Amino acid sequence: MRNIKLNLLTGLILLTTTATPQQLTANNNSFDAVYGDYSFRVDSLIESGAFCEIKSALVTIWDPRDNIYLKKMERDKTIKIDGFGAQFIKGYRRESVSYLNFNITNSSEAVNESKGEITVTSKGYIQGHRNYRFKVDHLIYGSTGCAVKKAVLEIIRPDETKTEKTLLVGNTIYFEDMEIELLDAYQSRDVSYAEIATSSVTSCVETDNGDNILQKGVCKDSTGSYTDICLGDMIVEYSCINNLCRITTVECGKGRCIEGVCVGAETTTTTSTTTTTSTTTTTCSTTSQTTTSSTTTSQTTTSASTTTTADKDKPLLNLNPEHAMILTLFFLMILGYQYINRKKT
C-alpha cells in the first residue's frame, strides 16, 4: 500500500511539472540547460528563408544513459524526447555565443518522428533504408536569403557501388526500389545536414491517369521513375500495367509532339485506342477507294466497248416490220416506174 501511494505521488509530481511548460535556455558552450537527468547544449542555430530568420535549432542532448545525440527543434512543432516534449521558442546570438529558449512540455503534446526519417550529414555515411547508406555531398542555395534549394546526396548501395542524386527540398525521387523525399536541408557551422524520408515503392502510380497524350506524365514503380518523351512526332507514353511502368508508343495524328505532349492533336485522352482506330479506318478507306476506282474504270471500259459495238450494228432507221414492208413496196414502185419510163424512151 505504501508503494502504491508513493508511485501515485511521484506520478502526480511529474504530471504537475510537465503540465505547466518549463522554459530553459541553452547555449553552445556547455550543458547548462538541465531538466531532470537530461542536459541540453546548442549545436547550431539554423537560419532559413528569404530573410534568414532563426526558426529552428540543432540541440545536443545528454540523456540519463550517457547517450549523446542530436535533435532538431522547430518553431510551431513539439518534438518528443523519451517521456516529455520540447518546443522551440526563440534563437538568438550575443557576441560569439548562440542561445536557444525552449519549453519542456507534456509528452502528449509532442509528435514522434515519422518512420523512415533520418538526418544525413556531410561528416560521414548514415545507415538508411535496406542497407543503403547516405551522405550529404553539398547543398545548393536559392537565389535569395538562406533557403537551401537542393541537396546532393551520395548513396552507397548494398553491393558497395556508389551514385549521386540531387533532390529538391520538399520533393520526392524514385531510386531503384526506393522512394526518397528531401524534407529539409540546412548548414550548421561547417557541417551540412539533410533530413530525408525513405520508403519502399510497392505499387505503380502515374500522374496523367494513363495514356494521355495531352498531358506530360510521370510513371513511378519499384524500378524507378519514367517521364513521357517525344520520339519525332510520336509520344513514348508510360502507364501502369500490372504494377509496373510499361511503354506505349502513340502517334500525334495531325499534331506535333513537343516536350512529351501532343500539340494540335485531334485525339482525346484515349489516344492510343483512337489513333489505332483511325489508322485502321484510313487503311480500310484507302482499300475501299482503290477497289471502287478499279470497278468504276472497268465499268466505264465495258460501257464504251458496248457502245462501239452497238453503233456498228444499229440500222439507220429504227422501223417496225409493217412499216419496213410498206417502205420496201414504195421503193419497188419507184424502181418499176423508172424502168417503164426507160423502155418508152
Side-chain angles (χ1 to χ4, degrees):
M1 180 66 68
R2 183 180 177 182
N3 289 337
I4 294 174
K5 289 181 179 179
L6 183 60
N7 289 337
L8 288 173
L9 181 61
T10 303
L12 183 61
I13 292 171
L14 287 173
L15 181 61
T16 305
T17 303
T18 55
T20 303
Q22 178 183 343
Q23 188 174 131
L24 298 178
T25 301
N27 62 67
N28 62 325
N29 290 331
S30 65
F31 285 93
D32 287 347
V34 177
Y35 171 72
D37 293 327
Y38 291 83
S39 301
F40 303 86
R41 184 185 69 191
V42 175
D43 179 81
S44 180
L45 301 177
I46 301 168
E47 297 175 339
S48 61
F51 302 102
C52 297
E53 296 178 82
I54 299 172
K55 297 181 179 180
S56 56
L58 282 177
V59 181
T60 305
I61 303 172
W62 193 347
D63 70 14
R65 299 173 296 277
D66 285 334
N67 296 320
I68 297 177
Y69 53 91
L70 280 174
K71 283 282 188 179
K72 185 185 178 187
M73 292 188 188
E74 301 176 75
R75 187 179 296 175
D76 302 325
K77 182 179 179 181
T78 303
I79 63 169
K80 190 171 184 178
I81 304 173
D82 293 341
F84 60 94
Q87 183 182 36
F88 176 96
I89 299 175
K90 182 175 68 173
Y92 55 95
R93 296 183 179 91
R94 287 180 180 167
E95 296 179 352
S96 61
V97 182
S98 298
Y99 294 92
L100 171 66
N101 293 342
F102 63 100
N103 276 339
I104 299 296
T105 65
N106 195 293
S107 62
S108 62
E109 302 173 14
V111 294
N112 287 314
E113 292 179 344
S114 300
K115 186 178 180 181
E117 289 185 9
I118 58 174
T119 300
V120 184
T121 75
S122 57
K123 294 187 293 184
Y125 288 95
I126 305 294
Q127 187 74 35
H129 178 77
R130 290 190 178 178
N131 295 321
Y132 284 80
R133 287 173 285 165
F134 301 86
K135 177 185 174 182
V136 176
D137 183 79
H138 63 277
L139 305 179
I140 301 172
Y141 285 81
S143 57
T144 59
C146 303
V148 176
K149 183 179 181 182
K150 300 177 183 178
V152 180
L153 301 183
E154 292 181 6
I155 305 174
I156 296 182
R157 300 179 180 90
D159 63 1
E160 298 301 319
T161 57
K162 186 170 72 173
T163 188
E164 281 190 356
K165 290 293 178 181
T166 302
L167 291 86
L168 282 166
V169 173
N171 284 25
T172 301
I173 66 167
Y174 291 80
F175 172 64
E176 297 180 356
D177 65 341
M178 186 168 41
E179 183 176 321
I180 308 172
E181 181 183 4
L182 180 60
L183 304 172
D184 199 2
Y186 44 89
Q187 190 78 26
S188 171
R189 297 180 183 176
D190 57 346
V191 181
S192 298
Y193 291 86
E195 295 177 9
I196 64 173
T198 59
S199 60
S200 298
V201 179
T202 57
S203 61
C204 182
V205 294
E206 49 192 318
T207 60
D208 60 351
N209 298 318
D211 294 334
N212 184 358
I213 66 169
L214 305 180
Q215 179 182 344
K216 185 175 183 178
V218 179
C219 184
K220 304 164 187 175
D221 63 11
S222 59
T223 64
S225 177
Y226 309 92
T227 305
D228 298 342
I229 60 172
C230 292
L231 188 64
D233 283 335
M234 301 177 69
I235 283 186
V236 178
E237 275 273 340
Y238 290 92
S239 56
C240 291
I241 301 175
N242 296 328
N243 281 332
L244 289 174
C245 294
R246 301 296 188 189
I247 294 176
T248 305
T249 305
V250 183
E251 292 185 359
C252 285
K254 295 182 180 179
R256 295 176 56 201
C257 184
I258 302 175
E259 297 183 357
V261 178
C262 270
V263 179
E266 296 180 354
T267 50
T268 61
T269 52
T270 55
T271 308
S272 59
T273 305
T274 304
T275 303
T276 305
T277 305
S278 297
T279 305
T280 306
T281 304
T282 302
T283 305
C284 292
S285 176
T286 304
T287 306
S288 176
Q289 287 173 359
T290 305
T291 306
T292 305
S293 176
S294 175
T295 306
T296 304
T297 304
S298 175
Q299 288 175 351
T300 304
T301 305
T302 305
S303 177
S305 175
T306 305
T307 303
T308 305
T309 306
D311 287 342
K312 288 180 181 179
D313 299 334
K314 185 178 179 180
L316 294 176
L317 295 176
N318 189 13
L319 303 175
N320 58 37
E322 293 181 353
H323 291 166
M325 180 64 69
I326 294 172
L327 185 61
T328 301
L329 290 174
F330 177 73
F331 277 110
L332 288 174
M333 289 176 62
I334 292 174
L335 289 174
Y337 178 75
Q338 289 179 348
Y339 177 76
I340 293 171
N341 286 336
R342 285 177 184 176
K343 284 288 186 182
K344 288 182 179 180
T345 55

